[in-house]
Amino acid sequence: MMKTNISESLFERAVNVIPGGVNSPVRAFNSVGGKPRFINKAKGAYIYDEDGNKYIDYIGSWGPMIIGHNDDRVIEAVKKQMENGLSYGAATKLEVEMAELITEIVPCVEMIRMVNSGTEAVMSAIRLARGFTGRDKIVKFEGCYHGHADALLVKAGSGVMTEGVPGSRGVPAGCVNDTLTAVYNDLNSVEALFNEYKNKIACIIVEPVAANMGVVVPNKGFLQGLRKLCDENNALLIFDEVITGFRLKLDGASGYFNITPDIVTYGKIIGGGMPVGAYGGKKEIMKMVSPVGEVYQAGTLSGNPIAMRAGITQLSILKENPDIYDKINSLGIKLRNGIKNIIDKYNIACTVNGIGSLSCLYFSEIPVDNYCNAGKSDTEAFGKYFNYMLNNGNYLGPSQFEAMFISAAHTKEQIEKTISDCENYFK
Ligand SMILES: *Cc1c(COP(=O)(O)O)cnc(C)c1O
């Protein structure tokens, strides 16, 4: 049994002074039982807790650490940048380099604005879509998480899914009146909304791979169908690529599925581990943003030089090493196949979903292609599995509805260890 005394005493202190002891709900172990481990360092595919336990990490800070934790090249670049000061609140060369890098990598992004989180990116993108179209209604999908802005906390995924609350208290009805929800992978449900609210819908926002209700892959034709519906109704298509951006492929889901969204939102990987978000898209649309346009959006620390340096360094590594994608994708396949074999061998009522380096083991027999199906999973069974895996050195997201993230620092041997622990659990 692992020693966890220090984590436990830190948690006791934490719950006194921080709601739930954590600064983001999914870090708490509420939906799996037990208490969070307090992490104090990370390197490559490993993270270490205050008690000195070592884990193979399948969270990767929820996605940002795609080349592994504490990469020497990123850390060196950040250290060097820090010598010039932490923030100026003025224009910098780094911001130009970042914007040029992304517009070069992702063809559908012709202009981009940096913000400080995925939440902020999505919030701003929605405002922009409304400003550009002069319409108020937005369409989102059940189980898709787009950060914690009021208008988007309707049938959201991630922590909202295990919290057992429909959305959140504190969100005025007026803030969600214009939020329409549709069923993921069900074009008819989207079409029905367009028919009912003719010329009133500003945009559809979608996670091109839904990675906050486990991992739900879009059915063939689903994303194309959304593009078509937007075109027919003069609405904008927003891809929330906070997870898929620079992960599915260098040019993200828009490249992977060969679809051109009007606006793309980023977070997570884009900051290399620093708090960064961004939204970008067609010039014609982005020129609506202040100070050139009438859609206001601002940020004291936006484009922060340290964050830009970390992000640029990591993105450049991804750009210069396309083999990284071959590696993480094949490790993802290895992990999924390994777990699938165990499920078959022991006849376990589970389903494995995934794409590329994103995977999820659902404790449910039925195929999972939307929020309703995902919600049928046995979260209690997941909790037991989670704790077994944790105590054997595999750090998974502490919720049935989070993805497993693989980085370029993971090795075949580490994936094999995880599969073997999984087999030991199920047999
Ligand atoms: C994490 C996430 C967000 C929110 O980003 P934060 O940086 O946590 O605010 C938005 N959209 C998606 C798809 C996410 O996974």
Side-chain angles (χ1 to χ4, degrees):
M1 218 40 200
M2 278 181 177
K3 273 181 64 181
T4 56
N5 318 25
I6 301 177
S7 276
E8 277 173 42
S9 72
L10 281 169
F11 189 59
E12 258 172 54
R13 283 165 61 192
V15 290
N16 267 325
V17 284
I18 307 171
V22 292
N23 280 314
S24 194
V26 285
R27 293 179 203 169
F29 280 26
N30 289 351
S31 77
V32 288
K35 291 170 190 164
R37 305 285 156 91
F38 283 68
I39 306 303
N40 65 5
K41 67 176 179 189
K43 186 78 192 168
Y46 289 112
I47 54 169
Y48 301 81
D49 69 17
E50 292 279 354
D51 289 280
N53 300 309
K54 174 179 169 183
Y55 309 86
I56 304 172
D57 181 25
Y58 288 98
I59 301 182
S61 191
W62 304 98
M65 315 320 293
I66 189 168
I67 57 172
H69 286 285
N70 204 347
D71 183 271
D72 291 338
R73 296 159 290 183
V74 177
I75 299 299
E76 277 315 307
V78 164
K79 276 186 185 162
K80 204 157 156 247
Q81 191 63 47
M82 285 197 319
E83 288 168 9
N84 295 332
L86 299 182
S87 176
Y88 323 119
T92 62
K93 184 169 136 197
L94 283 165
E95 294 164 272
V96 184
E97 286 176 7
M98 177 64 122
E100 285 177 347
L101 180 61
I102 292 169
T103 52
E104 193 195 321
I105 288 177
V106 192
C108 64
V109 175
E110 297 170 2
M111 242 184 200
I112 189 157
R113 172 59 68 81
M114 307 308 296
V115 293
N116 304 288
S117 69
T119 295
E120 212 188 315
V122 170
M123 213 174 76
S124 312
I126 297 281
R127 185 181 304 139
L128 176 58
R130 285 171 162 163
F132 185 79
T133 57
R135 300 170 178 180
D136 288 342
K137 303 232 177 271
I138 61 172
V139 174
K140 82 172 282 291
F141 294 92
E142 294 175 9
C144 281
Y145 180 68
H146 302 292
H148 66 92
D150 282 348
L152 292 153
L153 278 179
V154 182
K155 295 201 174 156
S158 191
V160 189
M161 217 163 152
T162 45
E163 286 274 280
V165 278
S168 165
R169 281 190 69 156
V171 176
C175 285
V176 293
N177 271 350
D178 290 317
T179 306
L180 310 169
T181 52
V183 177
Y184 201 86
N185 274 327
D186 180 356
L187 283 173
N188 291 335
S189 72
V190 186
E191 198 168 2
L193 292 174
F194 275 109
N195 289 338
E196 191 173 345
Y197 299 97
K198 266 232 156 320
N199 302 322
K200 295 216 162 66
I201 295 172
C203 63
I204 297 177
I205 182 162
V206 66
E207 285 183 75
V209 169
N212 285 288
M213 49 172 159
V215 179
V216 175
V217 178
N219 289 342
K220 214 168 165 24
F222 176 60
L223 297 173
Q224 285 84 349
L226 298 182
R227 178 68 272 176
K228 189 157 167 276
L229 282 169
C230 284
D231 290 341
E232 288 166 359
N233 292 282
N234 295 316
L236 302 186
L237 179 61
I238 304 177
F239 270 10
D240 181 351
E241 295 227 40
V242 170
I243 284 184
T244 53
F246 317 107
R247 177 171 288 278
L248 276 194
K249 264 182 79 186
L250 185 60
D251 52 357
S254 63
Y256 189 94
F257 296 108
N258 193 21
I259 291 171
T260 306
D262 300 293
I263 304 176
V264 185
T265 56
Y266 294 117
K268 300 187 171 124
I269 289 177
I270 200 175
M274 297 292 285
V276 181
Y279 63 108
K282 299 192 173 122
K283 252 187 197 163
E284 180 200 2
I285 300 169
M286 290 305 290
K287 281 193 170 163
M288 284 285 293
V289 177
S290 54
V292 268
E294 293 166 57
V295 173
Y296 192 73
Q297 186 269 308
T300 301
L301 293 171
S302 294
N304 172 272
I306 311 302
M308 291 303 100
R309 180 55 81 200
I312 290 169
T313 308
Q314 177 163 270
L315 290 177
S316 302
I317 291 169
L318 291 172
K319 183 171 166 236
E320 283 150 26
N321 299 278
D323 53 305
I324 286 177
Y325 292 97
D326 301 333
K327 180 176 183 195
I328 59 174
N329 293 347
S330 65
L331 288 178
I333 293 168
K334 184 177 175 63
L335 178 67
R336 290 192 288 280
N337 285 346
I339 299 177
K340 266 182 205 154
N341 289 341
I342 294 162
I343 291 170
D344 291 345
K345 186 166 162 193
Y346 298 97
N347 205 7
I348 314 284
C350 281
T351 305
V352 181
N353 271 19
I355 183 169
S357 56
L358 298 167
S359 309
C360 179
L361 171 63
Y362 289 99
F363 282 72
S364 164
E365 238 166 341
I366 50 170
V368 178
D369 64 352
N370 64 29
Y371 178 76
C372 179
N373 295 338
K376 289 184 180 139
S377 307
D378 183 346
T379 51
E380 218 166 282
F382 176 83
K384 285 191 195 131
Y385 167 74
F386 167 86
N387 278 294
Y388 178 88
M389 294 302 279
L390 183 73
N391 288 317
N392 283 281
N394 304 280
Y395 192 73
L396 314 180
S399 159
Q400 167 71 88
F401 304 111
E402 302 297 342
M404 291 174 84
F405 295 89
I406 289 173
S407 78
H410 283 76
T411 62
K412 227 169 85 222
E413 290 71 29
Q414 289 164 341
I415 303 290
E416 279 159 7
K417 175 200 152 40
T418 299
I419 294 170
S420 134
D421 289 338
C422 177
E423 172 152 22
N424 288 335
Y425 177 75
F426 282 117
K427 82 179 178 206

